[in-house]
Amino acid sequence: MKNKHVFTAVQKEGAMPIKDIDPIKTEIIRNALNSAANQMKQALCRTAFSPIIYEVLDFASAIYDKDLRLLSQAPSLPLFMGTLNFCVEAAVEGVGGVAKLEEGDVIIYNDPFGTGAHQPDVALVMPVFHKGKLVGYTAIKAHWLDIGAKDPYCSDTIDYFQEGVIFPGVKLFEKGKLVDSIHRMILANSRLPKAIDGDMRAQCVGLNAGSKALSAIIEKYGEEEFFKCVEVIFNHGESVVKNYFKEIPNGKYVGSGMMDNNGISDSGIPFNVTIVVAEDEITVDFTDVSPQQEGPVNCPLPSTVSAARIAISMLAGGGESPTEGHFRPIKVITEKGTMFHPIPPAPCFLYGWPAMQSIEVIYRAIGAAFPELVPADSAGDICSMVFWGRSSKTKEAWADGAPYPSGQGASNVGDGSSVLHIAESATRFSPTEVRETMYPYILNKVELSQDSCGTGCHKGGMGIDFEFEFLEDAYVTATLERTKTAPKGLLEGKEGRANSCTVVFPNGKEENIGKVTRYFLPKATQLLLKTGGGGGYGAPNERTLDQIQEDIENELISPTYAERQYPQCKTP
């Protein structure tokens, strides 16, 4: 396999000895670093212009040492977890390497094959200096609502040149001064320059907050002592993950998945992921997958690595905020030219959709042998919708995008929840009041959907029904996945419902949509989004009658559904 690629976490050569390190001081530094990343997050949220950042939290903020090892990351978008090291490395290379960095620099970078995302996910990187010496980096990758793609959001691109302006690593700020030519180019290539300018500046505020916080920590404890404690933090994270996998027998575990389509053709896309456990290390093998696609469901290497890290660290991370140490036991194998390691100019706009499916497949692989360790299938999608148009009142362009919650799979510890997919589990969807104030539509319905869950000893999470009514002409890009494959249960648990979306036009005509771009919604059109329910866990006949009755009383399931799904409820 000549195109095989193996990726592992950064292992620093010649690491300093870590004997006689005060564990209390180490824990204080660990929490101080987490606090610093959270300061970045709060600074960004309080100054951002767009709800997709300050409400949805479609961003990641993180701090790295000078060797590109993750020190801390604030809770926000898990799918960005661990990708920012790729962003920092490529951004620094783009400006000519470490020797070209100066205090006050900010680099802008959004090449999808370096960020792992689509061009609207723009990374800003700031080198951090302490007493004139480079000690690390702060980085924020955030979603910009428009970056000059053929449409504000796309499901039908055929190469990445259609997906927006590419910044291959150039200085946006140099020695603390805004580079006017780059700034003007950014704004000239967006349909929403005011929003983009505000969000870009907010990212810089976040970078500065993190840089000052990291410098203050190093100043307080001294550089040598600080980095000794960092090594202990990394070693601890590594041991947490390794200890988890010591309990799983060595072997190969294979999971299978199927994407609905690639956004261009309607054919399903099968793929397999193999998990290899060898003592206390784990390999996630993405080589048995489909070739890179003509449509934009290609997942660049950084997000493939991220998906593996999310799936494993959610299981084995002990509930801790991840550091580079948690990633050390994880090896990721890909093959270049495939859907999970595409090469330019492959379109990547829907990169996150195969990444989300791969997390589900990793859990299926483990769950086939050890179902008690993983949840059943979720609805498998964030069901993103991006609406846009031009206001009839102000004549200005507007755009609004958000993910939507769905049912998550039940597990051996309880029922599934009704939240965003694990890949976006720390994000949110914008409040109805905010959206109706800012955009020309109303939400007539946002409610848990009765009978949408998979049943079992533990039931899956509920799907959610959204009903939009448009007060002006608008367009939508819909990106639905898993409309053809219902979420599977575990250990005799039953399936949940699949995702779906129906458009009802003013004349009464209805049309089901999945992946569509620039789909016209005339004034008075209704869009009905029904997100899927989670799969159940365990045999339905093991659920108690009291639990079933409570579900009926809470209108999560109907009496008819209960009688159909639970043998103990059938009338003699």
Side-chain angles (χ1 to χ4, degrees):
M1 194 181 297
K2 62 181 180 180
N3 289 323
K4 188 166 111 172
H5 179 90
V6 179
F7 180 86
T8 57
V10 176
Q11 299 282 356
K12 184 176 179 181
E13 295 182 6
M16 62 183 69
I18 53 174
K19 295 180 180 179
D20 302 321
I21 300 298
D22 183 354
I24 296 176
K25 183 187 296 184
T26 299
E27 186 67 6
I28 291 171
I29 288 175
R30 184 178 75 85
N31 282 281
L33 287 168
N34 288 334
S35 175
N38 272 298
Q39 289 176 49
M40 295 173 66
K41 173 182 176 179
Q42 294 302 323
L44 172 61
C45 288
R46 292 182 182 216
T47 54
F49 190 96
S50 303
I52 197 164
I53 292 179
Y54 65 76
E55 291 286 1
V56 176
L57 308 182
D58 193 347
F59 67 87
S61 56
I63 302 174
Y64 286 82
D65 71 6
K66 63 184 178 64
D67 297 303
L68 307 182
R69 299 182 301 172
L70 178 63
L71 296 172
S72 61
Q73 178 169 313
S76 52
L77 186 60
L79 190 56
F80 288 173
M81 182 173 71
T83 64
L84 284 171
N85 62 301
F86 293 92
C87 300
V88 174
E89 182 177 20
V92 173
E93 287 179 357
V95 298
V98 171
K100 299 292 184 180
L101 299 178
E102 297 187 78
E103 196 161 356
D105 287 352
V106 175
I107 308 168
I108 182 171
Y109 182 80
N110 74 334
D111 187 309
F113 298 95
T115 65
H118 46 206
Q119 279 99 304
D121 291 337
V122 179
L124 298 188
V125 176
M126 173 179 277
V128 180
F129 291 84
H130 180 69
K131 296 181 179 178
K133 179 181 178 183
L134 179 68
V135 292
Y137 302 90
T138 56
I140 297 176
K141 183 166 69 172
H143 186 90
W144 292 6
L145 278 171
D146 184 80
I147 194 68
K150 72 178 195 66
D151 292 294
Y153 215 77
C154 307
S155 66
D156 61 352
T157 47
I158 59 173
D159 63 43
Y160 80 141
F161 298 109
Q162 294 184 323
E163 298 179 343
V165 179
I166 300 170
F167 297 99
V170 293
K171 289 188 180 182
L172 176 61
F173 282 80
E174 192 163 12
K175 297 181 182 179
K177 184 178 180 181
L178 181 67
V179 180
D180 182 65
S181 58
I182 298 299
H183 180 232
R184 288 188 294 112
M185 182 174 288
I186 292 169
L187 302 188
N189 282 281
S190 175
R191 299 171 178 89
L192 302 164
K194 290 182 181 178
I196 297 308
D197 195 27
D199 293 338
M200 178 198 73
R201 293 177 185 274
Q203 280 180 254
C204 293
V205 171
L207 294 178
N208 273 302
S211 175
K212 290 178 180 178
L214 177 60
S215 294
I217 298 168
I218 294 174
E219 177 68 25
K220 182 174 182 178
Y221 295 100
E223 185 177 337
E224 182 178 353
E225 189 73 6
F226 171 80
F227 282 109
K228 284 181 179 180
C229 291
V230 164
E231 294 299 330
V232 174
I233 292 169
F234 289 161
N235 289 346
H236 167 74
E238 181 178 12
S239 66
V240 168
V241 175
K242 285 187 171 183
N243 287 338
Y244 180 91
F245 281 101
K246 284 179 180 178
E247 304 303 317
I248 297 179
N250 290 351
K252 286 186 177 182
Y253 307 97
V254 181
S256 298
M258 175 72 74
M259 298 280 293
D260 282 357
N261 54 57
N262 63 20
I264 301 294
S265 70
D266 198 39
S267 301
I269 311 168
F271 66 95
N272 298 317
V273 179
T274 300
I275 309 299
V276 180
V277 178
E279 303 305 332
D280 54 6
E281 296 186 350
I282 183 167
T283 299
V284 186
D285 189 334
F286 287 90
T287 57
D288 188 12
V289 301
S290 295
Q292 69 183 48
Q293 297 293 302
E294 61 174 339
V297 294
N298 295 298
C299 183
L301 175 65
S303 282
T304 297
V305 172
S306 175
R309 288 175 166 180
I310 292 170
I312 300 307
S313 61
M314 291 290 189
L315 291 178
E320 300 178 355
S321 297
T323 68
E324 196 71 25
H326 291 84
F327 303 149
R328 284 176 177 170
I330 305 170
K331 180 190 298 183
V332 178
I333 302 177
T334 61
E335 184 176 359
K336 292 181 181 179
T338 64
M339 183 169 68
F340 287 97
H341 193 156
I343 56 177
C348 303
F349 210 99
L350 300 185
Y351 73 96
W353 281 248
M356 284 184 283
Q357 297 311 308
S358 72
I359 294 171
E360 302 273 335
V361 170
I362 289 170
Y363 288 163
R364 285 182 197 167
I366 297 172
F370 309 102
E372 70 280 1
L373 298 180
V374 298
D377 279 4
S378 76
D381 192 14
I382 55 173
C383 300
S384 285
M385 297 276 167
V386 177
F387 305 114
W388 76 91
R390 190 167 291 276
S391 170
S392 62
K393 297 178 181 178
T394 66
K395 309 304 179 185
E396 291 187 349
W398 63 272
D400 171 48
Y404 294 90
S406 59
Q408 305 304 297
S411 69
N412 74 322
V413 298
D415 295 345
S417 57
S418 299
V419 295
L420 285 162
H421 188 271
I422 188 173
E424 298 214 3
S425 57
T427 57
R428 309 179 297 218
F429 71 104
S430 298
T432 298
E433 295 81 2
V434 171
R435 305 178 80 176
E436 292 183 343
T437 300
M438 297 183 67
Y439 308 115
Y441 62 75
I442 56 176
L443 271 160
N444 292 322
K445 180 190 290 186
V446 179
E447 65 182 31
L448 297 176
S449 184
Q450 192 176 57
D451 298 343
S452 59
C453 60
T455 56
C457 176
H458 298 138
K459 71 171 187 61
M462 310 302 297
I464 302 177
D465 292 345
F466 298 87
E467 182 181 303
F468 299 84
E469 182 178 344
F470 290 84
L471 307 179
E472 297 181 1
D473 291 353
Y475 294 93
V476 64
T477 291
T479 62
L480 264 65
E481 182 54 53
R482 289 279 291 277
T483 63
K484 301 177 181 179
T485 309
K488 296 179 180 178
L490 265 179
L491 286 181
E492 301 182 53
K494 302 300 182 182
E495 293 181 344
R497 81 169 180 193
N499 303 305
S500 66
C501 185
T502 303
V503 176
V504 182
F505 293 96
N507 63 5
K509 177 187 173 185
E510 296 187 7
E511 186 171 351
N512 295 325
I513 60 173
K515 294 186 182 75
V516 293
T517 298
R518 189 174 276 272
Y519 189 91
F520 183 54
L521 304 171
K523 179 181 177 179
T525 296
Q526 292 184 323
L527 184 144
L528 314 178
L529 173 62
K530 296 185 176 184
T531 68
Y537 184 95
N541 62 12
E542 296 177 3
R543 192 168 183 83
T544 68
L545 288 171
D546 286 345
Q547 289 175 305
I548 296 169
Q549 184 59 39
E550 184 178 0
D551 293 339
I552 293 172
E553 291 174 357
N554 290 330
E555 299 184 358
L556 301 179
I557 63 174
S558 64
T560 302
Y561 190 72
E563 188 168 332
R564 187 168 67 245
Q565 293 287 321
Y566 294 105
Q568 59 271 47
C569 294
K570 292 186 184 297
T571 303

